[in-house]
Structures are given as structure tokens and as C-alpha cells.
Amino acid sequence: MRKEVVAAAALTAAAAITAIAALVRQRKRWREQQWKETQKILRKFARDCATPVPKLWQVANAFVADMRSSLIASNGTHTSLNMLVSYVASLPSGDEEGMYYGVNLRRTNFLLLCAKLRGKNDPISDFHREEIHIPTNLLDGTGSTKELFDFIAVELGKFVEAHPNSEKKDAPAKYNKLGFIMSCPVDQAVATSGTAITWKSFEADSTLGKKLVSDFNRALEERGVKLSVYAMVDDTVGTLAGGRYYNRESVAAVTLGMGTDAAYVEPADAALQWHGPSPKLGEMVISTQWGEFSTPHLPITIFDTCLDAESSNPGFRRFEKLVSGMYLGEVVRRVLLKMAKETALFGKRVVPSKLMTPYQLSSPDMAAMHQDTSDDREVVGEKIEEVFGIKKSTPMVREVVAEVCDIVAERGARLAGAGILGIIKKLGRIENKRSIVTVEGGLYEHYRVFRNYLNSGVWEMLGNNLSDNVVIENSHGGSGTGALYLAASQMKDAAKSQMQDSDPQPEPQPEPEF
């Protein structure tokens, strides 16, 4: 009897072992199948995002075509670019010296800046920057444009008192120029009636632009601030002014941050749509508004299409949704969500709710995961737990996450490079002139791999023979400093006008008698 019990127990144990082994094999096969599906999604996504050099030139050439069409567009002609003429008096020459002030108006705050310029061979000195948060009532629709300008004028007055300009202490306000740049969303409009404060890039010579300049100067005058604004321009134009101050070969500037735009210097006679006074020195600054650029050559995936459809502006700003920091992390999240649902990338349990939350992944977090060089991608593991609440992940899973980040960043950076070369090609400078492009923004400055992909993409497009003709460099001084360089160039123009006004006019001579 005892032997029979032992035999039965042995049989039962053997059966259990067999069952467990079968279950292990089954789970192993399931994991292998799910891993194959994960790799399949990853490979297809990589193919759809691919940016080989021929495709990049297709994008660049389409960009050139849209630039040309927009510059000569008449009423009723449609192009994807809305090229805005930023009629600043002139760009800096690099000889400007002295102390200057600037304002950088942003979404929820503004920067006040001042510094002394000492010519392009010396760095700026006595640099001061102060960030002021805008009161909620001026942002939530209960304040007016006048109230906002009054608030800025008061804070600027305090700033000037704390950092006075002894050289121009008693000069009339009209000769003390203030640089004013706006780093605001482009898809909203400045409300000059009603109470809502929303923002848009606008033509500085337009009725709207002139009214804003006039309103702000009135606010400064009422508060005894001896400064005046010539024009309000977007931050990319300010970046271009900074680049031009240091080098005359600086012909374009790009912003690569949460949003993106590009500005460049265009010969005045190329813009047939321009109807204002002829700019000085025969050149004008164009803000391309390249976030709106669209062409069938853009490598758009199903994830980009869904993101666009669910955005607040479907069908618009397609280039920006591929390039800017606002959207890069969101594309990554959508790819990971598909993998989590279809291949159980993060396990069989319910998909984490945070992974289903739009815009949960920021570009800084994406950059941290992408640039993780630690053993077994430890930073990736920490980030997906912090951002998505995913507590357990294998090194293989973390490698997939990093690879998705790599695909998205590489595509965005190389497309930005194609846009840059589109501008240089439009100017006819690729083959026989050296051009400097100044880039500003957190995406370019702090996302090292993104920056490397942009530079390498430009080099690949140009080839060895032409790669030295386009130089991409960081902006000088960081966010907002472009306002100072604009103020310097405007001050010089004001000084020239003052000298011309003070020159004695020659007395009329009698006509000769014959």
C-alpha cells in the first residue's frame, strides 16, 4: 500500500513538473511572439520616419518653392507658409556700444534685461536679467492689453532705477530705444478689443503692430520711463539680430524649443507683397512661420496623423508637430501606448493610466531617456516609473523605449536641418558663400543628441565639398538677449536721425542770372 502511495505521488509530481514545463514553454513562446510584434511595430515606425538625404532635399526644395510663392503671393494665392515681414529699422552692425534695455514677453511671464555692449570683439558686460510673472487676472480673460502694458511699464521703471544708464540719463525718451520681443504662441491673435489677452506673431508695420507699439510707448511715457519701442518682433528675429551683431555672415536664425520658427534676411526687392517704405540698406527680415510648412514629402506616420487630428488645430502647423519640443514626447508616448496595448510591452496587466494621458511625456524627460548611457538603461527605467508609473521593466524593454525616442528625435532634427538648407538655398548661398545660422531654444541647447542629428543631417545634405559653407551656432547670451541687440541698432538709427535734424539747412541761393 505504501509503495502504491509513493508511486502515485511520484506520478502526480511528474505530471505537475510536466505541466509546469509546458506552461513555461507556452509563456516563452508567447513572449517571443509578443517580442516579434514589438519589433515589427518598431521597424515599421522607423521606416515611416526615415529621412534619407534624397528625402531631405525633397523637403528643402518644397520649402524653397513655398518661400518664393509666399513672397510674391497676391490675394487668393495659397501657400503653406505665412511669411511675415518684420520691419525693424535695421539689424546691428557689430559696432554698437553702450548700455541697452530689452523686454521679452512670454506666455505667463516676461523678462527684463539690460547689458553693456562693447563691440563684437568683446562680450557683453554688466548683464542683468529679471523674470516677472504676469498676474493671473491679466491672463485669464479679465484683463486688458492696456492693463498688461501698464504692468510691464511699472516693472520696467523699477528695473531701470535698479540698473540705471548713466550715459543716457537725460536723453529724450525717443532716443533711448527699448528692444521688445515676443515669445508667444503663433496660432492665437492679439485681442485689441475686449479683455482676453492672447498672442500672435504679426507684421510690425501692420495696423495692429503699430497700435501695440503706440500703446506700449504711451504706457512708458505715462510712468516716466525714458525709453521707447520702435517695433515688437518675435524672438527668432531677436536671435537673428544677436547673430548679426557678431558676424555679418549671419543670415538666418532658428528657434527650436517648445515651438519653432525661422527668420532670415531677404533682399528688399524680392518681396513683391511688401508695400511699406523701403527698408534701409536694401534688406528686410522675414519671419517664415515655418511651423505651418507642409508638403507630401514630410515623413508623416499614423501616430502623427492621430496626434494632429486630436490637437486643438487639426490640419495646421504640421512641420511644428514633427520638429518642436511640444510634440516630440507625445509622439513617443503614442508609439509606446500601441506597443503596450498590442504586445504587452510593459506586462499583461492593465495599461497604466498615465501612459494613456496625452502629453504626459515632456521633451526634457524624453531627452533624459534617449541620452541614457548607463548600464541596462537605468535612467530609462527610472523615468518610465516616474512619468508613467511603470515600476518594472527589463533591459530589453528599456532599450525599445530608448530606440523609439531616437527615431523621433532623429526625424525632427534632420527635418529642421532640411528647413535651414531650404532658406540658404533660397538665398543662393549654398555653393559660393559662407552662411551662419544662429539657433536658440531649449531643444537645441539641452538635447545633445537632437543637436548632433541636426548638424550631421546638414553635413550629409551638403557633402564634403560644401559642408563648410553653412555654420550652425548657438545663440549669444540666451533667451531674450536679442532684444538688447535690436535696441542697439535702433538707437544708432535714432542718433543718426538726431544728427540729421540738428544739421543747419543751407540757405537758398539766388538763381543765377543769364
Side-chain angles (χ1 to χ4, degrees):
M1 184 70 180
R2 186 174 179 182
K3 291 181 179 180
E4 293 176 354
V5 171
V6 171
L11 288 172
T12 302
I17 292 172
T18 301
I20 292 172
L23 181 61
V24 169
R25 288 193 298 272
Q26 183 181 358
R27 291 186 63 183
K28 183 179 180 181
R29 285 195 297 269
W30 178 83
R31 286 175 179 172
E32 289 176 348
Q33 182 59 35
Q34 295 304 101
W35 187 249
K36 288 180 181 179
E37 290 300 316
T38 298
Q39 292 297 313
K40 183 178 178 180
I41 293 173
L42 187 63
R43 288 194 301 270
K44 184 179 188 311
F45 181 60
R47 288 195 304 271
D48 292 345
C49 289
T51 52
V53 169
K55 175 172 279 293
L56 291 177
W57 273 118
Q58 287 178 328
V59 172
N61 291 334
F63 190 73
V64 173
D66 265 22
M67 290 175 71
R68 288 174 175 156
S69 297
S70 181
L71 287 174
I72 63 174
S74 58
N75 292 336
T77 302
H78 174 75
T79 65
S80 69
L81 292 175
N82 181 24
M83 309 262 281
L84 298 181
V85 177
S86 299
Y87 185 57
V88 295
S90 65
L91 289 172
S93 64
D95 300 322
E96 293 81 2
E97 297 181 354
M99 189 168 184
Y100 301 99
Y101 296 89
V103 175
N104 180 15
L105 180 58
R106 307 194 288 190
R107 285 179 175 87
T108 59
N109 58 60
F110 57 90
L111 297 178
L112 300 176
L113 310 99
C114 69
K116 286 185 178 179
L117 305 186
R118 301 183 298 178
K120 58 188 168 189
N121 293 325
D122 293 310
I124 60 176
S125 64
D126 298 325
F127 179 64
H128 300 279
R129 184 202 309 254
E130 183 176 348
E131 181 177 321
I132 307 291
H133 288 277
I134 301 173
T136 304
N137 67 296
L138 297 180
L139 296 172
D140 62 5
T142 60
S144 67
T145 306
K146 182 181 185 304
E147 289 174 310
L148 175 63
F149 284 172
D150 287 344
F151 178 74
I152 296 174
V154 169
E155 295 299 325
L156 181 60
K158 298 177 185 176
F159 185 76
V160 172
E161 286 183 8
H163 310 287
N165 182 2
S166 57
E167 298 173 2
K168 300 290 183 181
K169 184 176 174 182
D170 299 319
K174 68 177 181 177
Y175 297 125
N176 287 331
K177 295 302 180 183
L178 172 73
F180 197 117
I181 64 177
M182 304 176 70
S183 306
C184 304
V186 73
D187 56 345
Q188 298 175 326
V190 180
T192 54
S193 60
T195 58
I197 303 296
T198 52
W199 302 101
K200 179 188 174 176
S201 290
F202 52 85
E203 296 179 72
D205 72 300
S206 66
T207 302
L208 175 58
K210 288 178 179 178
K211 183 180 189 310
L212 290 174
V213 169
S214 175
D215 289 347
F216 188 64
N217 283 335
R218 187 179 299 113
L220 294 175
E221 184 178 359
E222 290 173 354
R223 279 147 189 81
V225 182
K226 292 188 175 182
L227 294 167
S228 66
V229 174
Y230 175 84
M232 296 180 179
V233 300
D234 64 42
D235 50 354
T236 314
V237 175
T239 302
L240 177 57
R244 180 58 72 89
Y245 178 79
Y246 287 93
N247 199 310
R248 288 290 299 176
E249 294 175 328
S250 181
V251 296
V254 174
T255 297
L256 287 170
M258 293 300 284
T260 184
D261 195 10
Y264 73 103
V265 180
E266 178 74 75
D269 57 4
L272 300 185
Q273 64 167 335
W274 175 251
H275 302 297
S278 297
K280 298 177 182 180
L281 304 179
E283 64 181 22
M284 60 177 61
V285 177
I286 305 289
S287 178
T288 66
Q289 305 293 287
W290 80 356
E292 290 286 3
F293 173 59
S294 182
T295 172
H297 299 300
L298 291 175
I300 294 175
T301 71
I302 187 174
F303 303 101
D304 305 299
T305 301
C306 293
L307 182 154
D308 176 63
E310 296 170 15
S311 69
S312 60
N313 55 353
F316 295 93
R317 306 198 68 76
R318 299 308 298 269
F319 192 68
E320 182 171 82
K321 289 169 182 173
L322 298 174
V323 169
S324 74
M326 175 68 74
Y327 301 100
L328 296 184
E330 175 61 6
V331 177
V332 171
R333 183 197 69 84
R334 287 171 178 268
V335 177
L336 297 179
L337 179 60
K338 179 180 177 67
M339 291 177 173
K341 288 181 176 179
E342 298 184 8
T343 74
L345 178 65
F346 302 110
K348 280 187 173 182
R349 296 183 179 180
V350 177
V351 176
S353 60
K354 288 185 177 180
L355 186 58
M356 295 188 288
T357 304
Y359 298 94
Q360 183 71 15
L361 180 62
S362 68
S363 56
D365 285 334
M366 171 187 167
M369 293 193 296
H370 187 191
Q371 298 175 156
D372 177 16
T373 58
S374 62
D375 294 341
D376 294 333
R377 299 278 190 179
E378 295 169 5
V379 175
V380 175
E382 294 170 1
K383 279 296 177 183
I384 60 176
E385 180 177 359
E386 174 190 332
V387 176
F388 298 126
I390 299 169
K391 296 183 178 180
K392 293 183 179 181
S393 59
T394 66
M396 291 176 66
V397 167
R398 296 194 287 269
E399 191 64 39
V400 168
V401 173
E403 193 165 349
V404 173
C405 294
D406 185 71
I407 293 169
V408 173
E410 182 179 21
R411 178 185 64 172
R414 288 168 69 88
L415 287 176
I420 288 173
L421 287 191
I423 293 173
I424 304 303
K425 182 174 181 177
K426 164 65 179 65
L427 294 175
R429 298 177 63 96
I430 284 183
E431 295 184 355
N432 53 13
K433 292 183 180 179
R434 185 172 183 267
S435 301
I436 294 176
V437 179
T438 307
V439 183
E440 185 271 335
L443 190 62
Y444 184 82
E445 294 171 8
H446 305 304
Y447 198 159
R448 171 180 47 80
V449 178
F450 185 95
R451 180 172 65 249
N452 292 343
Y453 274 140
L454 189 155
N455 289 326
S456 63
V458 169
W459 294 335
E460 287 179 36
M461 291 179 70
L462 291 174
N464 291 333
N465 294 334
L466 300 176
S467 59
D468 292 337
N469 286 6
V470 178
V471 178
I472 299 174
E473 60 180 29
N474 267 325
S475 62
H476 301 275
S479 178
T481 52
L484 302 176
Y485 301 112
L486 286 172
S489 63
Q490 293 167 24
M491 185 83 83
K492 186 165 64 176
D493 288 334
K496 288 180 180 178
S497 298
Q498 184 181 20
M499 291 178 62
Q500 291 172 357
D501 292 342
S502 61
D503 286 343
Q505 298 297 318
E507 296 183 3
Q509 299 295 318
E511 293 184 3
E513 297 181 1
F514 293 95

